[in-house]
């Protein structure tokens, strides 16, 4: 295999932060539990994508991350698989609320994340619920009441359900802002800030974005603590 340096160079990985661990260039080097490795194998994946290779070792150190990588680069498993490991460590009761919360800009994207979470989390007995607008609240509220380790939500619908006091975020300790640039473009910043107020400050926060404009830098500076920044390819400023 390639050395970590050669791998990073070849895949245009650049990092900003103190003592950033080297990328995991193979699935075997992740140390993920066998049930998770079996899932990636049966999905037919031969190696981590660059964003996964560099996000996983950082996320497994429980550090905050800002990851900047274009669409189609495998960001979803970049945050979901370390989220599953985090869940195994915390052993919270899902009846008391989710431990992992993923915010996503649209119903379509949230549903895709949910599908990936169900597929890769099933063998680890991880339960997931998806909350989005443009659909009746009843079934989503019933899903919440059954308990979920992972909630994937659009900010608008989650905020509505929070205002109804039908979900508690006091156990959330792994927060993902996926497509952060798009969520801000869509005007979700007030909802995101309200949601984050319900989550304990002692948490790990991961932000994934395709672009890195000043609005995204500002919310990253407010919500993340000493994040490691991971860039794949060129970052347009
Ligand atoms: P992004 O969020 O960066 O746009 P996705 O997480 O949606 O990208 O992944 C894009 C596609 O790549 C999905 O179909 C996903 O299942 C697939 N994928 C994820 N990880 C790998 C991998 N390590 N090897 C091959 N395909 C992968
Ligand atoms: Mg994505």
């Amino acid at each position: 295999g390639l050395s970590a340096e050669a791998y990073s160079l070849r895949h245009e990985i650049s990092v900003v932060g103190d003592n950033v661990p080297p990328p995991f260039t193979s699935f075997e080097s992740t140390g993920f539990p066998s049930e998770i490795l079996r899932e990636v194998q049966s999905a037919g994946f031969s190696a981590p994508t660059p964003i996964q290779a560099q996000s996983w070792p950082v996320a497994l150190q429980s550090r905050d991350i800002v990851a900047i990588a274009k669409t189609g680069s495998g960001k979803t498993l970049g945050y979901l698989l370390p989220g599953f490991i985090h869940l195994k460590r915390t052993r919270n009761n899902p009846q008391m609320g989710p431990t992992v919360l993923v915010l996503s800009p649209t119903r379509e994207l949230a549903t895709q994340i949910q599908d990936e979470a169900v597929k890769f989390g099933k063998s680890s007995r991880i339960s997931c619920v998806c909350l989005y607008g443009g659909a009746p609240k009843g079934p989503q509220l019933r899903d919440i009441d059954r308990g979920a380790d992972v909630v994937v939500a659009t900010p608008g619908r989650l905020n509505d359900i929070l205002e109804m006091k039908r979900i508690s975020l006091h156990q959330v300790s792994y927060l993902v802002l996926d497509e952060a640039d798009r969520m801000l473009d869509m005007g979700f910043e007030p909802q995101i800030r309200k949601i984050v107020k319900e989550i304990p400050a002692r948490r790990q926060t991961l932000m994934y974005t395709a672009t890195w404009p000043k609005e995204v830098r500002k919310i990253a500076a407010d919500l993340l603590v000493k994040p490691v920044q991971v860039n794949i390819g060129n970052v347009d400023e």
Side-chain angles (χ1 to χ4, degrees):
L2 288 173
S3 71
E5 291 80 9
Y7 179 90
S8 297
L9 203 59
R10 172 175 296 185
H11 296 285
E12 298 186 82
I13 299 175
S14 58
V15 294
V16 184
D18 297 332
N19 298 314
V20 178
F24 289 145
T25 59
S26 68
F27 287 121
E28 298 68 48
S29 64
T30 61
F32 287 154
S34 56
E35 62 272 19
I36 290 181
L37 291 176
R38 269 200 304 276
E39 292 301 330
V40 294
Q41 200 161 37
S42 66
F45 301 165
S46 53
T49 67
I51 192 66
Q52 293 165 358
Q54 188 61 72
S55 295
W56 287 340
V58 176
L60 292 176
Q61 291 181 337
S62 304
R63 295 167 78 177
D64 285 3
I65 298 183
V66 176
I68 309 160
K70 65 179 195 303
T71 302
S73 54
K75 294 192 284 293
T76 317
L77 292 179
Y79 57 74
L80 279 181
L81 299 187
F84 292 170
I85 309 297
H86 177 88
L87 268 169
K88 283 181 195 284
R89 291 177 184 156
T90 51
R91 305 173 59 87
N92 284 336
N93 178 357
Q95 293 296 143
M96 306 294 286
T99 297
V100 172
L101 174 63
V102 180
L103 297 180
S104 168
T106 67
R107 170 183 180 158
E108 188 202 12
L109 289 166
T111 306
Q112 286 172 15
I113 297 161
Q114 164 77 358
D115 291 348
E116 200 108 317
V118 168
K119 181 175 169 194
F120 289 91
K122 203 175 198 168
S123 59
S124 311
R125 301 173 183 280
I126 289 165
S127 54
C128 316
V129 160
C130 194
L131 310 174
Y132 45 79
K137 289 200 185 75
Q140 296 179 3
L141 296 173
R142 283 193 287 280
D143 287 346
I144 294 166
D145 292 342
R146 274 194 290 272
D149 300 301
V150 178
V151 165
V152 180
T154 57
R157 176 55 58 99
L158 178 58
N159 206 44
D160 291 349
I161 292 175
L162 271 174
E163 283 174 358
M164 297 166 71
K165 300 205 182 305
R166 291 295 301 270
I167 191 168
S168 166
L169 302 183
H170 77 272
Q171 285 198 133
V172 173
S173 50
Y174 190 98
L175 169 66
V176 180
L177 304 170
D178 194 20
E179 308 241 8
D181 50 353
R182 227 172 131 194
M183 288 200 285
L184 297 189
D185 282 345
M186 290 174 69
F188 281 134
E189 182 161 354
Q191 286 91 340
I192 292 170
R193 289 188 185 272
K194 275 196 201 165
I195 290 163
V196 172
K197 281 205 179 90
E198 303 291 318
I199 301 174
R202 254 180 88 91
R203 63 168 188 262
Q204 184 177 3
T205 309
L206 302 90
M207 178 178 276
Y208 285 75
T209 184
T211 62
W212 189 226
K214 69 172 190 300
E215 302 73 39
V216 182
R217 292 172 196 225
K218 172 79 172 75
I219 198 162
D222 290 348
L223 303 185
L224 280 67
V225 180
K226 287 198 199 163
V228 173
Q229 189 181 317
V230 178
N231 306 316
I232 310 297
N234 286 328
V235 179
D236 346 300
E237 311 267 305

